[in-house]
Amino acid sequence: MAKEMALVAGRASAHLAEEIAKNLNLPLAPTVVEQFKDGELEAYYTETIRGKNVFIVQSTFAPADNIMELLMLADAAKRASANKIIAVIPYFGYARQDRKDKSRTSIGAKVMANILTATGINRLITMDLHADQIQGFFEFPVDHLYASNVFLPYIQSLNLPNLCMVSPDTGGTKRAVSYAKWLGCDFAIGYKQRAKANEVESLQIIGDVTGKDVILIDDLIDTGGTICKAASRIKELGANSIMAMCTHPVFSADAMEKLQNS
């Protein structure tokens, strides 16, 4: 296998890449990423990767340096005559900008798809995209993995007597319904209205959570405003217990404090 593939660790996902390498019993491809005083990045490989399938593990959360590093590593691989370049992006940044929901606005997820394609990437492996339709932005194959393979067995192991899966917003309805169907339990949906980005004005729960052991399930938690607002409303409605699970704990600003005080 080592002759056919090269596994590359981006700095944003170095630990994950190391764990993958251990499981595959493969060494990480030696790379150098240098950052100049003005902030520019340069990436290169110190050993040949000619003819290999190169897997670059790098999440693209803020700052934009993480995106640029991925692009530079991909471009370097292309120029080093790699056979195929596969981007492994556990957290796909800009995925919340998946549609034009107001006039004269950008669609960040499509911009990301365009630049990954232009750089020469041949395939994408990612997990729990904010919106499934983002897969359609790409002209190459997308392997969309789900955290449910880890979450569902764990939820079962809790043996909660009155389980209810709740999505904190309508965008996660499909996820909550899928979990509830697999677990054979009830589900409910949060309906929120935003005053502005990252600020929830009001949130209502559609469904019965009274006396239930609630698990709030989401793809990502950024500032924690939505998940905390949902938990507060669910508590008011008389839930027995409330837990939260997410795939991507971004935790911007004071998110940790909000969650601890919720």
Side-chain angles (χ1 to χ4, degrees):
M1 195 190 318
K3 292 181 180 179
E4 299 172 358
M5 67 179 287
L7 184 63
V8 179
R11 292 179 299 175
S13 302
H15 178 69
L16 174 62
E18 288 165 4
E19 292 299 310
I20 294 171
K22 285 179 188 176
N23 277 278
L24 292 173
N25 195 27
L26 275 176
L28 288 169
T31 60
V32 176
V33 178
E34 295 180 339
Q35 190 154 18
F36 300 110
K37 294 293 184 181
D38 64 354
E40 284 189 12
L41 293 170
E42 180 186 35
Y44 57 92
Y45 298 82
T46 58
E47 291 182 5
T48 182
I49 53 171
R50 181 180 293 273
K52 293 191 176 184
N53 296 327
V54 179
F55 291 78
I56 305 172
V57 185
Q58 173 84 328
S59 282
T60 55
F61 49 80
D65 283 358
N66 291 322
I67 299 170
M68 282 303 300
E69 183 176 327
L70 170 63
L71 300 177
M72 293 296 189
L73 286 166
D75 184 69
K78 180 176 70 174
R79 297 178 189 279
S81 301
N83 179 42
K84 288 185 179 178
I85 303 167
I86 301 95
V88 182
I89 308 178
Y91 174 63
F92 187 90
Y94 291 85
R96 283 175 285 180
Q97 299 180 42
D98 62 296
R99 62 198 181 281
K100 188 173 179 180
D101 56 357
K102 53 182 175 287
S103 299
R104 299 173 297 281
T105 189
S106 61
I107 303 178
K110 177 58 177 170
V111 174
M112 284 286 292
N114 288 345
I115 59 176
L116 291 174
T117 303
T119 306
I121 287 168
N122 305 109
R123 192 180 196 99
L124 169 66
I125 301 173
T126 189
M127 176 168 275
D128 274 358
L129 282 169
H130 189 65
D132 287 340
Q133 66 263 25
I134 292 172
Q135 297 171 77
F137 292 170
F138 295 89
E139 297 303 322
F140 53 71
V142 177
D143 296 304
H144 187 200
L145 310 180
Y146 296 95
S148 55
N149 289 311
V150 176
F151 287 173
L152 285 170
Y154 176 74
I155 294 171
Q156 280 186 310
S157 73
L158 298 174
N159 294 315
L160 297 171
N162 296 302
L163 180 61
C164 180
M165 300 302 302
V166 179
S167 171
D169 56 33
T170 53
T173 300
K174 182 180 175 182
R175 184 181 302 105
V177 171
S178 296
Y179 274 70
K181 186 176 181 180
W182 201 90
L183 293 163
C185 67
D186 293 335
F187 70 89
I189 308 297
Y191 176 74
K192 67 182 178 185
Q193 291 180 308
R194 288 195 183 277
K196 57 183 179 181
N198 290 131
E199 188 177 313
V200 179
E201 188 172 36
S202 65
L203 191 147
Q204 299 299 322
I205 302 298
I206 303 168
D208 182 18
V209 294
T210 305
K212 301 290 178 67
D213 295 299
V214 168
I215 294 182
L216 283 157
I217 187 78
D218 210 349
D219 62 321
L220 68 92
I221 297 175
D222 184 2
T223 64
T226 299
I227 208 94
C228 291
K229 199 95 172 179
S232 178
R233 182 62 184 145
I234 289 166
K235 185 177 180 180
E236 290 172 2
L237 293 169
N240 182 46
S241 65
I242 305 167
M243 291 178 60
M245 301 179 78
C246 76
T247 309
H248 307 295
V250 179
F251 296 167
S252 301
D254 60 345
M256 291 287 285
E257 187 180 342
K258 281 181 187 173
L259 290 166
Q260 288 169 349
N261 295 331
S262 67

